[in-house]
Amino acid sequence: MSEVWPHPKPANRFIPDEYKKLKRFKDDNMHDPTVKTCVPFLDSLTMGYIIPFDQDYLVDPVENDFSVVPASKEQNDFGYHNKAQLPEEWRKTAGENAGKFSNKWLIKTPPGYSCLFIKPMNRLEDRFDIIAGVVDTDTYINIINFPFLLKKRDKQFLIKKGEPMVQVIPYKRESWKMWSGFYLEKAHSKVFSLLNTKWVDKYKTMFWSKKSYK
């Protein structure tokens, strides 16, 4: 079935059209930069990988609940999390139950690496929210499904095959210890002074490191 399902791809293959069309400066005025000049925005947009929806899903809101029918009509292609699993505060705005999108792909990372699963970053999505999770994908070689909260509850809508479903960000597991104080004040002063020497692309040309996901 791999020739039928849209394959996961690097997130940079799913850049939204509204970002592609956006100019770096409004009306070509360098006093009015847009988010397209912001490298941290682009880095998060293109970080890791995207798993797309494998088929169409028809969503019908029903009072405090909802139904989802996959194009395959197969029950195993969609599921629910019972309301007892959700904090009560969530149910006040997200309805009684959480949905669960099925994932057809097994994910394997090298030893010592886990994956963060989140809703695709910096993309407008007013229909549903993927509930984030972390899985140690170096040892857990099993199907990972993706729970979500329904946001669009006023009318029926269609999720189309190939749309971004979840963003997958692999990372190396390491122990961290936080510290706070004023030790970095001199380093901050140097960075701040450097930033004030350029008009555009300050962070990109002086501090940014290119990332690669293939």
Side-chain angles (χ1 to χ4, degrees), residues 51-71:
I51 298 177
F53 284 100
D54 62 310
Q55 59 186 293
D56 290 352
Y57 290 84
L58 183 61
V59 183
D60 285 284
V62 183
E63 296 182 356
N64 290 330
D65 206 352
F66 61 96
S67 67
V68 178
V69 180

Side-chain angles (χ1 to χ4, degrees), residues 8-163:
K9 291 184 175 69
N12 62 19
R13 301 282 295 275
F14 289 86
I15 294 178
D17 287 340
E18 60 267 25
Y19 182 85
K20 293 178 181 178
K21 296 174 183 176
L22 189 66
K23 292 185 176 182
R24 282 169 49 85
F25 302 95
K26 183 181 178 182
D27 299 325
D28 295 323
N29 183 346
M30 293 181 68
H31 288 290
D32 291 320
T34 70
V35 73
K36 205 162 189 177
T37 65
C38 179
V39 175
F41 183 98
L42 180 61
D43 264 351
S44 61
L45 186 71
T46 58
M47 191 174 191
Y49 305 89
I50 294 290
I51 298 177
F53 284 100
D54 62 310
Q55 59 186 293
D56 290 352
Y57 290 84
L58 183 61
V59 183
D60 285 284
V62 183
E63 296 182 356
N64 290 330
D65 206 352
F66 61 96
S67 67
V68 178
V69 180
S72 67
K73 306 295 196 324
E74 293 287 341
Q75 282 189 326
N76 291 336
D77 283 346
F78 184 80
Y80 295 93
H81 283 283
N82 186 273
K83 63 182 180 182
Q85 296 179 282
L86 303 179
E88 188 169 344
E89 290 78 7
W90 288 21
R91 300 203 300 268
K92 293 176 183 177
T93 57
E96 291 294 319
N97 298 300
K100 183 167 60 177
F101 291 126
S102 295
N103 166 39
K104 302 291 197 305
W105 303 96
L106 293 173
I107 298 166
K108 176 72 170 71
T109 48
Y113 284 80
S114 299
C115 283
L116 169 65
F117 298 91
I118 57 174
K119 64 180 180 180
M121 291 189 285
N122 289 339
R123 295 164 175 83
L124 290 178
E125 180 52 78
D126 60 358
R127 301 170 298 175
F128 56 86
D129 265 337
I130 294 290
I131 299 175
V134 169
V135 179
D136 295 341
T137 45
D138 54 345
T139 57
Y140 186 74
I141 314 303
N142 197 9
I143 293 295
I144 302 167
N145 295 319
F146 307 117
F148 71 93
L149 300 176
L150 186 67
K151 295 168 62 178
K152 185 175 179 60
R153 312 189 68 86
D154 57 341
K155 61 181 179 180
Q156 182 185 77
F157 65 89
L158 187 68
I159 300 171
K160 295 183 179 180
K161 174 182 175 180
E163 288 187 40

